[in-house]
Amino acid sequence: MRVGVAMPLALAALLGVVLGRWAPAGLFEGWALGLLLLLGYGQWRGIGLGALVAVTAIQVLLAQGAVLPSGLLGADLALEGRIESVEDEGRLSRLTVRVDSCAPRDPDRLSCNALRRVRLSFFEAPAIAPGERWAMTVRLRPPAGFANPGTFDYGAWLWREGIQATGYVRSEPVAERLAAAPPSLRARALDHLDGQELSPLARRWLAALTLGAGERLERADWDLLNASGTTHLVVISGLHVGLAAAFTLMLARGLAWLLTPRRWRLAVWPWWLAAAAAVGYAWLAGLQPPAMRAMIMTLVGLWVASGRHAPGPWQAWWLALGLVVLVDPLSVWRPGLWLSFVAVALLVLIWQGRPRPRGAIGWGWAVLRTQALLAPLMAAAVLLAFARLAPAAPLVNLVAVPLVSSLLVPLGLLGWLLAPLALIGDLSWWLFERITWLLVSLLELAVAYLPLWWPSAESVLPLALMLALMALLWALPGLTRVLRVGATLLLLPAMLGLAPGLPQQGMLQVRVQDVGQGQLIELRSTRYRLLYDSGPRFASGFAPLSSLWPIGQHFDEVMVSHDDMDHAGGVEVLAGQHTVGRFLAPRGVSIGVPFEPCRRGQAWQRDGVSYRVLWPPEATRDLSSNDRSCVLEVTAGEDRLLITGDVGREVERRFLRDAELPLTLLIAGHHGSHTSSGPQLVQTLAPLHVVYSAGRHNAFGHPHDDVVRRFRRIGSCQWSTALDGAVTFWLGGEEGVSYRSARRLPWRRGGVEGRCHAVESRH
């Protein structure tokens, strides 16, 4: 079988991305040696593929090398660049900036000239428009996000978007606009759209569907699309670019039939015109990665459809994949790339060798069959990419996809095309508005009956694998109906029987969530769920707690150690989005919701796990806010957990005699500050594991070097959410304590001091 060029091209591009990302030792030497061997044997095709490996590897290496050095943390940087996007969040604006130049204000600092793209917060910013050039003084940090199981990975998103630093704009010196935005057809189109007598809903959807202006959609729009599994309809994709190319091709071939009725089938120019329309439409949409990917796939698809020296469907699939990766190597980390190519691969698989449908009934059955086969595989892909499942998606897409592709997008594009003809253009958009309202009503109805489902992190992978297997059972040719039906009947109850892996009776799962410079700890047994603290709330109003779970969770109890914003900042979000059986907090504090006071001597038991409050006493008037913190001790089997809040060393000595030994796990007081975890507590308790709940690159230097040394001297394993992300422990098991961190750090694998030597302080 002849392999062809397309598959090796795609595999070479993917290999370059992998080598560039992980950059093993001797990468360049090995590549050069391989190239010399190929040159010696005259393998010119291999040399070309080696060059492709180098092209993608170099792009990825350059992207990694452009990441802000840690040595520039806290430094004032003079930055000039062009504004790519602006997101307004009340008094705060989020800017994405393409960097033209960057230099530290202090000439003795490291250079930041390698920066290419940054994301900035600008508090009380003046009016800023995309395309403008600005000069501003900023403070940046390397790109990173919270690392919690089953949640959105902000750090990974920054990487695949090519953002090498995040930070904020300094108020002094004042930022200065250097140049206005250059003329842009897209900007003029959006301004024209804003002046139309359409409802805000219609304007938002028209901008997103026809111009790729997804930023115009509101948070509620995205929530509705996510819950109904129809997000792909409003992202400029192969659907939109393909429709523009197909419409142009149809008109051009019709014109060719009129001009040359006997030779119109041989005319080449209609295909070139359709290709130009695909490129022009993608350019109008801003040539963002989804539009770029759609443009390449559409161009290859036009080549295949033309039949002129064209590759077969699978060769075209590999060719499109190779070209997309070659043009944008970071797209390998974008879920949209794999969702698109998986969908196209399945379409090729289920239609290859089948006759073309005939008549309305034939086409209707073909659409139903295609959607039924696509639904489980796309659900599996979405599960792996986003850890969520939209049960309404298969049914909704049966109506939404034809509605958008056959009516909304053509009407929207027709309105732009006929804009000079006021009545006809207005009529197109009037119809667009009515159909959009109908579609949104349909999506809201579907989501009301079949809401978005977030399976547990442990069940995501097995559920996705079973859905993918079900799709392949019905898509692969040559399988008997008995095998397909029998395997499906076995898979369905297996999928329905998947349940979250809750701890057994007497066991406790402890998860110290990564919430930045704050604290949030989830304790879970078989039928009981307790939160200790609710995490911080930032100046922008964002509370990390809102990103940890889908809305509608139930917590039996929430204990808020004290009312500092890094511990109680998420209480408002918790009370508004979830149900809580009881709040506990120290007497005399205000956390924004009614609560019962926690006090020394309280004790209860759930699922064979014992809980006991060691502090504060009844009288707390003479105690500071930190020293009022609720101190909780939990016992599961032979293991014991102690959480001390922000109490200082004096208070530690006062409750120390009540603590039971041995201690398996200690959540270090006050994030590892030198005011807590005093020598007496450390020597007396000698915990097996210690966790510091601290923010990455935090300004306080937590954990303090004295505290780290104390715990190291007694042999404690030390963990930090700043480095390890969320850390999960299972206590009370017969085989002893087990644990897992969200970030797998290389130095955790061993070394001079074993697996526990991992935490260092900035002091």
Side-chain angles (χ1 to χ4, degrees):
M1 183 179 69
R2 189 166 177 266
V3 175
V5 177
M7 184 190 292
L9 181 147
L11 294 177
L14 290 170
L15 177 61
V17 168
V18 171
L19 292 176
R21 181 65 171 123
W22 284 277
L27 171 61
F28 176 76
E29 292 82 357
W31 173 82
L33 181 60
L35 210 60
L36 284 173
L37 288 173
L38 291 171
L39 184 61
Y41 284 101
Q43 296 291 328
W44 299 107
R45 180 175 172 179
I47 292 171
L49 294 175
L52 285 178
V53 170
V55 168
T56 53
I58 287 171
Q59 291 184 71
V60 175
L61 286 168
L62 288 174
Q64 289 187 127
V67 171
L68 183 81
S70 297
L72 288 176
L73 275 170
D76 286 342
L77 309 176
L79 184 144
E80 293 184 10
R82 189 170 298 278
I83 308 297
E84 287 190 347
S85 67
V86 182
E87 301 171 25
D88 291 322
E89 300 178 4
R91 300 172 67 188
L92 187 73
S93 296
R94 304 277 188 192
L95 313 177
T96 304
V97 183
R98 177 68 63 177
V99 179
D100 294 330
S101 65
C102 177
R105 294 283 184 187
D106 181 354
D108 295 330
R109 288 276 196 166
L110 293 168
S111 172
C112 58
N113 250 338
L115 283 177
R116 295 183 292 180
R117 204 161 180 245
V118 299
R119 184 171 168 84
L120 302 172
S121 301
F122 198 161
F123 189 68
E124 294 186 340
I128 300 178
E132 295 177 342
R133 285 191 71 250
W134 280 74
M136 53 190 76
T137 298
V138 300
R139 283 191 178 175
L140 302 176
R141 61 177 61 190
F146 302 136
N148 295 295
T151 61
F152 174 68
D153 192 337
Y154 181 61
W157 179 84
L158 291 172
W159 161 254
R160 62 179 179 254
E161 293 301 314
I163 295 173
Q164 289 94 30
T166 60
Y168 63 94
V169 180
R170 300 272 285 165
S171 57
E172 295 291 338
V174 178
E176 178 186 0
R177 183 186 287 105
L178 300 178
S184 165
L185 182 61
R186 186 170 185 259
R188 290 182 180 179
L190 289 171
D191 290 340
H192 174 76
L193 184 59
D194 290 336
Q196 300 303 301
E197 294 183 1
L198 295 169
S199 65
L201 175 69
R203 282 199 295 268
R204 295 196 305 269
W205 279 67
L206 191 56
L209 279 173
T210 61
L211 299 175
E215 69 276 4
R216 290 291 185 101
L217 294 176
E218 296 178 350
R219 183 69 262 167
D221 297 323
W222 286 113
D223 290 341
L224 179 62
L225 291 165
N226 286 329
S228 58
T230 52
T231 310
H232 61 98
L233 296 178
V234 296
V235 177
I236 295 297
S237 63
L239 173 67
H240 308 80
V241 180
L243 282 173
F247 183 69
T248 304
L249 179 63
M250 182 181 67
L251 290 179
R253 297 197 82 187
L255 182 60
W257 179 78
L258 290 174
L259 296 176
T260 56
R262 294 184 179 180
R263 301 180 55 202
W264 69 276
R265 294 181 183 276
L266 300 177
V268 176
W269 63 267
W271 298 94
W272 285 104
L273 194 60
V279 174
Y281 185 54
W283 172 77
L284 181 64
L287 271 184
Q288 296 298 318
M292 175 74 76
R293 180 175 66 247
M295 181 190 73
I296 293 173
M297 296 178 75
T298 301
L299 292 177
V300 175
L302 284 171
W303 185 20
V304 173
S306 71
R308 288 173 169 81
H309 308 290
W314 287 113
Q315 288 291 321
W317 188 88
W318 284 107
L319 177 63
L321 177 62
L323 291 175
V324 169
V325 174
L326 192 61
V327 171
D328 182 15
L330 296 186
S331 65
V332 170
W333 285 272
R334 295 191 180 100
L337 172 77
W338 300 108
L339 289 174
S340 298
F341 277 93
V342 165
V344 172
L346 188 66
L347 288 173
V348 173
L349 186 64
I350 62 180
W351 281 108
Q352 195 169 24
R354 285 184 169 267
R356 185 176 180 180
R358 296 181 179 275
I361 295 177
W363 278 105
W365 173 248
V367 170
L368 284 172
R369 177 178 178 272
T370 301
Q371 182 61 33
L373 291 174
L374 270 177
L377 189 64
M378 297 311 294
V382 170
L383 258 178
L384 291 175
F386 305 109
R388 64 175 184 244
L389 195 62
L395 296 175
V396 167
N397 277 294
L398 279 174
V399 178
V401 170
L403 202 63
V404 170
S405 60
S406 302
L407 292 176
L408 281 182
V409 174
L411 283 172
L413 295 177
L414 194 63
W416 288 113
L417 188 64
L418 301 177
L421 305 176
L423 290 178
I424 303 178
D426 291 346
L427 177 61
S428 298
W429 282 353
W430 182 84
L431 289 172
F432 178 95
E433 182 175 20
R434 297 301 181 273
I435 297 172
T436 301
W437 178 85
L438 178 65
L439 176 61
V440 170
S441 300
L442 171 67
L443 298 183
E444 291 174 342
L445 182 65
V447 170
Y449 285 97
L450 294 170
L452 187 66
W453 179 48
W454 297 79
S456 64
E458 297 81 5
S459 60
V460 165
L461 182 59
L463 183 58
L465 291 175
M466 284 189 277
L467 284 167
L469 180 58
M470 183 182 292
L472 291 176
L473 277 171
W474 290 92
L476 289 173
L479 299 181
T480 64
R481 188 175 296 274
V482 173
L483 176 60
R484 288 172 173 168
V485 174
T488 301
L489 292 177
L490 290 174
L491 285 171
L492 283 173
M495 285 189 285
L496 295 174
L498 283 176
L502 296 176
Q504 298 176 3
Q505 182 76 11
M507 289 187 64
L508 179 71
Q509 177 184 289
V510 182
R511 178 166 291 162
V512 185
Q513 302 279 9
D514 180 10
V515 292
Q517 187 60 25
Q519 185 167 271
L520 191 157
I521 305 163
E522 182 183 9
L523 309 181
R524 195 162 191 173
S525 57
T526 309
R527 294 179 299 276
Y528 181 71
R529 199 174 182 187
L530 179 146
L531 284 189
Y532 184 97
D533 284 339
S534 63
R537 185 172 72 240
F538 302 140
S540 63
F542 171 72
L545 179 140
S546 62
S547 66
L548 293 177
W549 305 285
I551 294 174
Q553 300 292 301
H554 175 76
F555 300 95
D556 297 277
E557 286 171 314
V558 174
M559 179 177 287
V560 181
S561 62
H562 60 304
D563 56 1
D564 281 2
M565 199 52 58
D566 56 339
H567 294 255
V571 167
E572 182 180 348
V573 175
L574 189 63
Q577 296 184 352
H578 309 288
T579 58
V580 177
R582 178 176 68 154
F583 280 96
L584 293 164
R587 193 185 303 275
V589 305
S590 175
I591 60 173
V593 295
F595 65 89
E596 296 181 22
C598 62
R599 62 187 183 278
R600 180 162 48 185
Q602 285 176 316
W604 62 97
Q605 191 174 78
R606 297 288 188 277
D607 302 327
V609 178
S610 301
Y611 300 80
R612 190 162 64 107
V613 178
L614 303 185
W615 190 265
E618 287 281 356
T620 60
R621 182 176 302 175
D622 297 332
L623 297 173
S624 66
S625 174
N626 284 352
D627 284 343
R628 290 180 183 179
S629 295
C630 302
V631 176
L632 180 66
E633 180 190 76
V634 187
T635 303
E638 299 297 321
D639 295 318
R640 196 164 285 107
L641 160 72
L642 183 64
I643 311 174
T644 64
D646 279 0
V647 299
R649 297 187 194 180
E650 177 60 33
V651 170
E652 289 176 349
R653 289 192 287 270
R654 293 172 67 178
F655 69 71
L656 195 55
R657 61 179 177 270
D658 296 329
E660 295 187 14
L661 297 176
L663 184 63
T664 306
L665 175 61
L666 172 69
I667 311 301
H670 206 172
H671 320 287
S673 166
H674 71 285
T675 61
S676 301
S677 302
Q680 189 172 349
L681 178 137
V682 174
Q683 291 292 334
T684 302
L685 298 181
L688 184 62
H689 295 272
V690 177
V691 179
Y692 305 102
S693 183
R696 195 175 182 88
H697 307 305
N698 68 83
F700 308 99
H702 294 156
H704 196 276
D705 57 348
D706 290 343
V707 175
V708 171
R709 289 187 183 118
R710 281 187 205 121
F711 284 113
R712 186 185 297 171
R713 281 194 291 267
I714 64 166
S716 297
C717 284
Q718 302 186 61
W719 306 79
S720 172
T721 58
L723 298 172
D724 297 292
V727 188
T728 306
F729 291 84
W730 288 268
L731 307 181
E734 294 180 359
E735 298 179 357
V737 62
S738 57
Y739 45 83
R740 182 185 304 155
S741 61
R743 289 194 188 101
R744 303 298 176 90
L745 301 177
W747 55 77
R748 285 280 185 200
R749 298 172 187 168
V752 176
E753 298 188 42
R755 300 179 65 187
C756 299
H757 178 40
V759 176
E760 292 295 345
S761 171
R762 285 177 52 199
H763 286 277

